[in-house]
Amino acid sequence: MKTIEVTIKDRLAIITLNRGKSNSLNREMVTELTDILTNIDADSNIAGVMITGKDHFFSAGLDLIEIYNYNEEEAKSFWNLFLTFVAKITAFKKPLIAAINGHSPAGGCVIALACDARVMAEGKYIIGLNEVPVGIIVPTCIFDLYSFWLGKADATRSLLEGKLFNPEEALTIGLVDELVKPESILTAAERKARKYMAHESNTWSQSKLNIRKELIASTSADQSADLEIMLKQWWSPSTRAILKTIIDSLQRKNTNS
């Protein structure tokens, strides 16, 4: 695999996102993540999973530079792929912990939200769903994922504002469960994973699936109506203009760094 690394440690799979500096999600990365979760799901030798990033990024979200240049067919198939991945990770039956080692806005936050617990590094990092200011309409299933942890009122306020939280704010609002020093992130996340892994596996998994029944129904439902509305906005001149400004800024940063 080119965009992720996987190591196994005493029945715990550690998935490290490893694509460029910011771990932005493109077609290849979403495909590899979907495939690895499918394989782990079926592997009785693996009892739990941790997902982490590297350096100062968990994941900066979707790779806007790549996706912006997709044609209509490619854009539709990518968004379908991403929402299928969201359904997959939400319904994943084994313990799944996010070790959020750095920035985690937008798509990075979505991955973290689908996990059972989130441990975040202290520091000048951001996490949250900031799609609205970017000109992207958030599908209902992603809002449901947000409100599963934040409650509908806080999720609504945060989403419509496009608010990005620092680690302390994220802990206060319930977006993350624990803050630790950056050097302790993997140890703390592993401790959480093994606490879940210590339970009788079928009991734990079935309880998780029962608790998430409505959420799983939402993420695995037919997304075509939401997608149609979202893609119409994606191609609108106003959203294209916002995206172009963001991309130009990203490319300038990449050139200067």
Side-chain angles (χ1 to χ4, degrees), residues 26-71:
N26 69 343
R27 185 185 302 279
E28 183 177 37
M29 196 175 195
V30 174
T31 302
E32 289 190 351
L33 279 166
T34 305
D35 290 348
I36 195 67
L37 288 174
T38 303
N39 293 344
I40 290 171
D41 212 14
D43 189 340
S44 57
N45 294 314
I46 299 176
V49 181
M50 265 166 55
I51 300 182
T52 193
K54 59 186 179 52
D55 300 329
H56 298 288
F57 282 91
F58 179 72
S59 169
L62 302 184
D63 185 344
L64 292 178
I65 296 174
E66 181 172 318
I67 299 161
Y68 180 83
N69 290 308
Y70 287 166
N71 63 31

Side-chain angles (χ1 to χ4, degrees), residues 9 12 50 95 97 99 117 119 178-180 184-198:
K9 179 184 176 185
L12 176 67
M50 265 166 55
I97 309 296
V119 180
E178 189 179 350
L179 294 186
V180 296
S184 307
I185 188 95
L186 293 179
T187 310
E190 182 177 341
R191 194 184 306 126
K192 245 181 183 27
R194 296 206 182 276
K195 192 178 273 189
Y196 289 150
M197 287 162 65

Side-chain angles (χ1 to χ4, degrees), residues 71-107:
N71 63 31
E72 285 195 32
E73 199 53 50
E74 289 167 337
K76 186 176 181 181
S77 95
F78 173 79
W79 285 107
N80 262 318
L81 180 76
F82 182 69
L83 292 178
T84 301
F85 164 65
V86 171
K88 175 91 194 166
I89 194 170
T90 301
F92 187 76
K93 64 179 186 281
K94 296 178 182 181
L96 184 63
I97 309 296
I100 306 166
N101 59 298
H103 298 298
S104 188

Side-chain angles (χ1 to χ4, degrees), residues 4 27 65 68 117 136 211 213 215 234:
I4 58 175
R27 185 185 302 279
I65 296 174
Y68 180 83
I136 296 172
I211 290 163
K213 193 171 280 179
L215 188 59
W234 175 261

